[in-house]
Amino acid sequence: MLEKLFKLKEHHTTLKQEVIAGITTFLTMAYIIFVNPSMLASAGMDQGAVFVATCLAAAVGCLVMGLLANYPIALAPGMGLNAFFTYTVVGEMGYSWETALGAVFLSGCCFLILSLVRIREWVVNSIPVSLRMGIAAGIGLFLALIGLRGAGIVVDNPATLVGLGDLTSFNSIMAVLGFLLIVAFVQRGYKAAVIMSILAVTILGLLFGDVQYTGVVSMPPSIAPTFMKMDLSGMLDISMISVVFAFLFVDLFDTSGTLVAVAHRGGFLDKNGRLPRLNRALSADSLATIAGAALGTSTTTSYIESTAGVSAGGRTGLTAVVVGLLFVAALFISPLAGMVPAYATAGTLFYVAILMTSSLLHVEWEDLTEAAPVVVAALIMPFTYSIANGIACGFITYAAVKLLCGRFKELNLGVVALALLFIAKFVWG
């Protein structure tokens, strides 16, 4: 049956190799079962229910990817998108988390349509590479600010807006230690570096009496508080268009970039440099987002950590299926997830920020018309606490500088239309 489903011999792999690859990928991305519930709880959602939704959404995404597209690519609620959900859509814009889930659901439906009608290539190609790099870096800086603020390292300052917190506080020390442990573990080649750091800092919190022990294993909490709670009535508000677009835009390019990176590492690209069964992979990603919204979590997307499993020998969808089954098994460690303090995950956010800001290496810094929009998009996100604002300002800047520099021929219809749409949003709210 496995041979028929995944064509193991054709891909020169074995059951043992695929299982090892699946375990490797899971260990590199399992931190999301601790980070995502904590982050979405700040939006007013039930943390236990979000924990279950996170595990189930990841499991569904991995199983669909493995069985439908037969690629060793794992999925889970995405970092950055959960921050946008909590701190921008709910926190800054004032929408309920139910309405935010509705926006995630709708973005997933739009993504599915783009995948099925095969116009994804046109959408992706219409967005300048430099803007994609700037947006990725901006999300990284946004995550870094969230982590630093959560650890008490960055605090409010009436005179300068932000200032340095008390670095001698327990929370700050633990957050810094967690980050340093991740860097050390990664450098030493440990696949589970992030989750090892989170658990180490949580144990220290227990030893110092800052964390209360509640157990490790139990039956999963109820998902009822978040299951099918998405509110689509809020979609009638015109300002939600930009929110849906932001969810769709980030997921689309995050997924596209991840698929290309994993495919390149695994040698899955054909002789023309294209990924076979691309639409199936994209459809799996969009279906996972739709399912995740229904379960009660932010956008589910493909994880770049899948390259760890591919490096360990994963070549088929069986690797993704193994990851999905491990997320199902993780449902039974909810007490452990509930004990993880915010400072234990702050280092993770900063580490992910490093990975995302590395995209700036690919920017054409010698060309100011390319570099300026990148910096604008990257800095506006953390300074306005909004991914949507960063995307909007990046597009507007790109169109404006190209036009003013007489290089309007480098603009395409998609960029101009989006720039005008974002200008209208700022003018008329």
Side-chain angles (χ1 to χ4, degrees):
M1 183 184 69
L2 293 178
E3 178 61 36
K4 183 179 179 180
L5 282 173
F6 304 109
K7 299 179 173 59
L8 301 179
K9 291 181 180 178
E10 180 182 324
H11 291 89
H12 309 289
T13 185
T14 63
L15 173 61
K16 178 181 178 181
Q17 189 170 308
E18 295 294 299
V19 170
I20 291 174
I23 294 172
T24 301
T25 296
F26 176 77
L27 290 175
T28 61
M29 61 185 289
Y31 63 85
I32 196 63
I33 65 178
F34 303 113
V35 178
N36 199 54
S38 175
M39 190 169 290
L40 295 193
S42 299
M45 301 179 71
D46 182 88
Q47 188 163 340
V50 175
F51 168 79
V52 176
T54 300
C55 293
L56 291 179
V60 169
C62 292
L63 291 173
V64 174
M65 179 65 77
L67 296 172
L68 179 64
N70 197 23
Y71 280 125
I73 298 172
L75 298 90
M79 293 296 295
L81 288 161
N82 51 8
F84 176 60
F85 181 103
T86 298
Y87 300 106
T88 299
V89 182
V90 177
E92 179 189 332
M93 301 180 71
Y95 289 105
S96 66
W97 60 263
E98 293 90 345
T99 300
L101 282 179
V104 172
F105 179 84
L106 188 58
S107 71
C109 293
C110 293
F111 195 171
L112 180 60
I113 293 172
L114 290 177
S115 302
L116 294 177
V117 300
R118 303 194 176 197
I119 61 173
R120 179 207 65 97
E121 286 82 3
W122 177 83
V123 175
V124 172
N125 292 332
S126 66
I127 310 302
V129 174
S130 58
L131 273 183
R132 299 183 215 170
M133 300 300 102
I135 289 168
I139 293 174
L141 294 174
F142 185 42
L143 290 174
L145 180 58
I146 293 171
L148 292 171
R149 182 183 178 190
I153 296 174
V154 171
V155 296
D156 296 336
N157 187 310
T160 61
L161 295 181
V162 293
L164 186 65
D166 182 6
L167 294 181
T168 62
S169 70
F170 183 78
N171 285 13
S172 296
I173 292 173
M174 289 296 101
V176 171
L177 176 61
F179 171 68
L180 295 177
L181 285 175
I182 292 175
V183 174
F185 289 149
V186 169
Q187 193 64 26
R188 289 175 177 272
Y190 292 104
K191 301 297 183 183
V194 177
I195 195 170
M196 287 169 62
S197 169
I198 291 174
L199 293 177
V201 173
T202 300
I203 291 172
L204 287 175
L206 282 167
L207 295 177
F208 283 99
D210 190 67
V211 175
Q212 297 300 314
Y213 180 77
T214 58
V216 176
V217 179
S218 75
M219 292 300 293
S222 172
I223 197 176
T226 61
F227 182 67
M228 294 299 290
K229 298 297 183 181
M230 53 197 180
D231 179 14
L232 297 176
S233 63
M235 299 306 104
L236 299 175
D237 187 341
I238 192 171
S239 64
M240 283 301 291
I241 295 177
S242 64
V243 173
V244 173
F245 173 79
F247 279 126
L248 171 63
F249 183 90
V250 176
D251 189 20
L252 179 62
F253 290 103
D254 189 24
T255 299
S256 300
T258 297
L259 290 175
V260 171
V262 176
H264 180 73
R265 178 69 65 88
F268 304 137
L269 300 176
D270 62 21
K271 60 182 180 181
N272 297 316
R274 296 179 179 178
L275 182 65
R277 307 185 303 282
L278 174 61
N279 285 334
R280 290 189 183 186
L282 292 170
S283 296
D285 194 290
S286 55
L287 288 171
T289 290
I290 293 171
L295 292 166
T297 185
S298 52
T299 305
T300 303
T301 188
S302 301
Y303 263 59
I304 192 63
E305 284 85 349
S306 301
T307 55
V310 170
S311 298
R315 289 296 179 271
T316 73
L318 182 54
T319 295
V321 170
V322 171
V323 178
L325 294 177
L326 288 173
F327 271 112
V328 173
L331 285 168
F332 300 94
I333 60 167
S334 59
L336 175 60
M339 283 191 293
V340 175
Y343 52 74
T345 59
T348 302
L349 296 178
F350 208 79
Y351 170 67
V352 174
I354 292 175
L355 300 181
M356 299 188 76
T357 51
S358 65
S359 64
L360 294 176
L361 286 171
H362 307 291
V363 176
E364 296 180 42
W365 293 107
E366 297 81 7
D367 185 349
L368 274 179
T369 66
E370 295 290 329
V374 169
V375 176
V376 169
L379 293 183
I380 289 294
M381 286 186 196
F383 286 137
T384 65
Y385 227 61
S386 170
I387 292 175
N389 286 343
I391 293 174
C393 292
F395 270 91
I396 293 171
T397 304
Y398 190 89
V401 295
K402 290 292 185 181
L403 183 63
L404 292 173
C405 292
R407 296 169 61 175
F408 53 86
K409 290 184 179 180
E410 297 179 22
L411 295 172
N412 58 61
L413 180 60
V415 172
V416 174
L418 289 171
L420 292 175
L421 178 64
F422 287 131
I423 290 174
K425 175 184 177 295
F426 285 133
V427 173
W428 290 290

